[in-house]
Amino acid sequence: MKNKKNILKIWVMCAAVILGTAGCGKDFDAAGYVQALLDLTFQGEISGASGFMEDASEETLMRAYQDSIDRFVAANITSGMDIGELKTSRFAELTSKIFLTMRYGVGEARKTGKREYEVEVDIWPADVFVNFQDMLTEDSLKMAEKIEAGEYEGETKEETGQMILSDIINHAYELLDTAYMDIQYGDKETVTLRVYAERGGDASIDEDDMDRLFREILRLDES
């Protein structure tokens, strides 16, 4: 789960709808903008985002949120394995529940330039994915022993492989659910996001800052 590029793509996909057409002027609400983005990303809350978009429908915003969840699952949990739509949707649903538990607080915006702002966001990092990875590693060792002992015996190699894959996926879901139920939070940390209100109504948040917040609140670099 250390692929920074994949994680950044998740943020960009979720944020793209908002970042393209936020109404920016001399009274641009940078803190509100950040709050809306975080609430959409983690809570699936579209009301704040709607306030920064005149043309986006609720369906469009919800689709952006759902796409971000799906991409996170593909990049960080199923790792591109073709496990079927039903099982993928179960992981997506569980990931949505995990994201809902993220704790953050958006501070006031500080203007640092003509159209530039800094917004401090307090976060309380969650250990769910760290614990999930630890449990997954332990479980993989047990599965390797079962495979070595010949406990998976299908009529063909393909059938045996499917049996093993099915167990891996089922165990992974159970372990992620356990990590979610036992989630704990670390001490408060503060991440500063740089916000740019461009001419013509566009706005953006520094991608490296966004990536850092996402990695730190989920402790992905420790997984």
Side-chain angles (χ1 to χ4, degrees):
M1 284 192 268
K2 296 181 180 180
N3 192 327
K4 178 177 179 179
K5 189 173 182 180
N6 280 341
I7 296 167
L8 183 54
K9 284 182 179 179
I10 294 162
W11 274 106
V12 170
M13 286 302 298
C14 183
V17 177
I18 303 175
L19 299 185
T21 56
C24 304
K26 62 181 180 179
D27 297 322
F28 175 60
D29 181 8
Y33 179 66
V34 169
Q35 184 77 56
L37 175 58
L38 296 181
D39 287 349
L40 176 62
T41 301
F42 291 117
Q43 311 298 320
E45 173 56 57
I46 64 175
S47 60
S50 297
F52 283 91
M53 293 200 60
E54 297 179 357
D55 301 324
S57 66
E58 292 184 0
E59 182 180 356
T60 298
L61 293 171
M62 186 53 65
R63 183 68 256 168
Y65 165 71
Q66 291 171 344
D67 283 348
S68 74
I69 296 294
D70 291 342
R71 289 174 179 272
F72 181 88
V73 169
N76 297 282
I77 300 177
T78 61
S79 300
M81 292 186 293
D82 184 9
I83 65 173
E85 185 176 342
L86 179 60
K87 289 185 178 181
T88 299
S89 66
R90 291 184 70 215
F91 275 111
E93 182 179 354
L94 181 53
T95 298
S96 295
K97 293 179 180 179
I98 293 170
F99 279 18
L100 279 170
T101 68
M102 293 302 105
R103 297 178 179 177
Y104 54 89
V106 178
E108 295 182 1
R110 181 172 68 91
K111 195 166 186 178
T112 58
K114 188 174 182 180
R115 296 184 179 86
E116 298 177 2
Y117 305 82
E118 288 186 352
V119 179
E120 290 190 346
V121 180
D122 293 331
I123 62 172
W124 287 261
D127 65 1
V128 58
F129 287 104
V130 172
N131 292 339
F132 169 60
Q133 187 61 47
D134 289 344
M135 289 188 290
L136 201 60
T137 299
E138 182 178 350
D139 187 68
S140 67
L141 296 176
K142 294 178 181 178
M143 293 220 33
E145 292 176 357
K146 290 174 67 176
I147 294 170
E148 183 68 23
E151 295 187 28
Y152 293 95
E153 294 184 4
E155 294 183 2
T156 64
K157 278 188 176 181
E158 289 75 15
E159 186 175 307
T160 300
Q162 284 301 117
M163 292 169 62
I164 294 171
L165 177 61
S166 180
D167 261 10
I168 289 173
I169 297 303
N170 289 337
H171 288 189
Y173 181 87
E174 293 168 2
L175 295 175
L176 183 58
D177 188 48
T178 297
Y180 159 59
M181 296 299 294
D182 295 336
I183 191 169
Q184 299 289 327
Y185 302 89
D187 294 335
K188 182 180 74 173
E189 299 178 13
T190 301
V191 178
T192 300
L193 300 182
R194 287 166 289 181
V195 182
Y196 308 103
E198 308 292 345
R199 296 181 184 216
D202 290 343
S204 63
I205 298 178
D206 185 88
E207 292 181 347
D208 288 337
D209 296 345
M210 291 281 288
D211 178 60
R212 179 189 167 202
L213 186 149
F214 196 73
R215 287 184 288 112
E216 291 192 6
I217 198 170
L218 293 171
R219 295 177 61 183
L220 293 177
D221 281 348
E222 302 173 48
S223 305

